[in-house]
Amino acid sequence: MKKFTGGLFVGILATLAALFSGLFTFKKTVVDPIEEEEERFDDNRRKAMRKSRSSHQG
């Protein structure tokens, strides 16, 4: 029974480790680039608004 319990415990840990590494990889390859692109668009929008306002000042 000890071998079964130990194997079950190791199997559960290995499964959880694989799940978390998959989620971390997904976040780094899919979610972070999308967030960086949205941030870049927001920065460009802010720069365009400042430029637009300063060009119509005088």
Side-chain angles (χ1 to χ4, degrees), residues 6 8-10 14 16 22-26 28-29 33 39 43 50-51 53-54:
L8 182 65
F9 183 69
V10 170
L16 290 175
L23 289 174
F24 180 75
T25 302
F26 177 78
K28 286 292 183 183
T29 58
E39 185 177 324
D43 288 342
R50 283 194 297 257
K51 188 175 182 180
R53 288 179 182 156
S54 69

Side-chain angles (χ1 to χ4, degrees), residues 8-52:
L8 182 65
F9 183 69
V10 170
I12 290 171
L13 286 179
T15 302
L16 290 175
L19 177 68
F20 286 125
S21 66
L23 289 174
F24 180 75
T25 302
F26 177 78
K27 182 182 180 302
K28 286 292 183 183
T29 58
V30 176
V31 176
D32 285 347
I34 292 172
E35 290 177 352
E36 289 173 3
E37 187 174 345
E38 288 175 353
E39 185 177 324
R40 194 178 80 230
F41 287 152
D42 289 341
D43 288 342
N44 287 343
R45 190 175 300 120
R46 278 186 243 130
K47 288 177 185 177
M49 288 298 289
R50 283 194 297 257
K51 188 175 182 180
S52 173

